[in-house]
Amino acid sequence: ATAAGMVSSEVAYMWLYEYLRNRNNSSNPLVVVARRGAAEEGSEEVSQTFLDGTAGFIADATTTVYMVPFFAVTTRQACAGIGAAASMPYENAFVTLRRTLAEGGVRKMFAGLAPSLVISTNSFVWWVAYERSKQLAYSALRPHLLSLQEAAPFLPAPLTSEKDNVVLNAGAAVVAATTSSVLWNPFYVARTRMQMGTGDARMRDVLRSIVKTEGWRGLTRGTVMSVASGAVDAVAFSVLYEAGKLLAQRSAP
């Protein structure tokens, strides 16, 4: 279920993100807003940080609405026969989908939408942290990278490049993933509880219940694995994303 949704949602996410962050596109609504804000401040410079963060959030929120039903089915499959879902048998995606609809209709399929949309805001932080970390890293390490190129010309260019360095990009991705995973973990916990529950509880009620019965520590459940998996995913993403951008730039007329 996850694979079916992820492929199409990732394509839509990246297209929307790249479209909205393009400061050279005069028809881009974000650019229009950014230019208007810059003009009010007496500047003509459009903040790329604003475009990166806001484009990430809008792209994430848009695809999240589409992905929540897939997450609902996947969560029920993953938790079947365990803990609070001990009485729930493991079934294939189609059967799980039918059972979910039978239990609560379309509303049940969108259980956890509220925390999922809150989680979407982490894309703003992720992209800002990623791009800003890259800027700081390249600025601070550029002289050392140039020296390394002269001292060790046998090393692969992606490891010593002062413009597109796979190590620096990966490091920036880890910083971004760690930051967003830690800050938004409580909402991941709430979404999972809502998808495994009746579907009638509101997000704030679920969060209050967790704090009341488990303490604040209950909101940190799974943080370590969330950070670890997020970091691995971010590194892989950064390598493919930056390679894709470089390839597109080289093939552009």
Side-chain angles (χ1 to χ4, degrees):
T2 302
M6 286 298 291
V7 173
S8 54
S9 70
E10 283 298 319
V11 172
Y13 176 92
M14 290 311 305
W15 178 86
L16 190 56
Y17 171 73
E18 289 296 333
Y19 173 79
L20 292 174
R21 74 182 293 270
N22 184 2
R23 64 195 303 166
N24 297 319
N25 183 357
S26 59
S27 63
N28 182 345
L30 283 186
V31 173
V32 174
V33 172
R35 284 177 176 169
R36 187 177 302 165
E40 292 177 355
E41 296 178 1
S43 172
E44 296 182 358
E45 182 67 23
V46 175
S47 171
Q48 189 61 55
T49 299
F50 167 80
L51 293 179
D52 289 338
T54 307
F57 164 66
I58 293 176
D60 202 334
T62 302
T63 54
T64 287
V65 175
Y66 165 74
M67 279 298 298
V68 164
F70 291 95
F71 285 137
V73 172
T74 302
T75 299
R76 290 170 69 88
Q77 287 183 300
C79 297
I82 303 172
S87 61
M88 185 185 302
Y90 177 83
E91 298 164 318
N92 64 47
F94 181 70
V95 175
T96 303
L97 172 63
R98 287 196 307 174
R99 183 183 293 275
T100 303
L101 287 171
E103 290 178 3
V106 175
R107 183 179 180 182
K108 181 67 174 179
M109 293 298 299
F110 284 91
L113 177 59
S116 293
L117 289 175
V118 173
I119 290 170
S120 294
T121 60
N122 78 358
S123 274
F124 183 95
V125 173
W126 197 99
W127 282 107
V128 170
Y130 178 64
E131 296 294 347
R132 186 57 179 163
S133 295
K134 278 180 24 179
Q135 292 172 9
L136 293 174
Y138 280 103
S139 177
L141 298 177
R142 186 174 185 277
H144 301 288
L145 292 171
L146 292 174
S147 298
L148 182 60
Q149 291 172 16
E150 295 180 0
F154 54 85
L155 290 176
L159 298 181
T160 61
S161 174
E162 79 283 7
K163 296 180 179 179
D164 188 30
N165 190 292
V166 66
V167 176
L168 297 190
N169 293 343
V174 170
V175 171
T178 300
T179 302
S180 61
S181 294
V182 170
L183 292 177
W184 273 264
N185 193 75
F187 300 104
Y188 285 113
V189 175
R191 181 176 67 183
T192 300
R193 300 291 179 90
M194 292 175 72
Q195 289 174 340
M196 293 308 302
T198 63
D200 297 326
R202 293 175 296 181
M203 179 178 66
R204 66 180 181 181
D205 295 330
V206 172
L207 291 171
R208 287 175 180 172
S209 175
I210 293 172
V211 173
K212 182 178 180 180
T213 58
E214 304 171 42
W216 290 100
R217 189 174 181 180
L219 298 177
T220 66
R221 288 180 178 271
T223 300
V224 174
M225 284 304 300
S226 180
V227 169
S229 61
V232 173
D233 178 70
V235 169
F237 172 80
S238 72
V239 172
L240 295 175
Y241 173 67
E242 298 295 346
K245 281 205 310 182
L246 187 61
L247 182 62
Q249 291 169 359
R250 289 178 176 176
S251 60

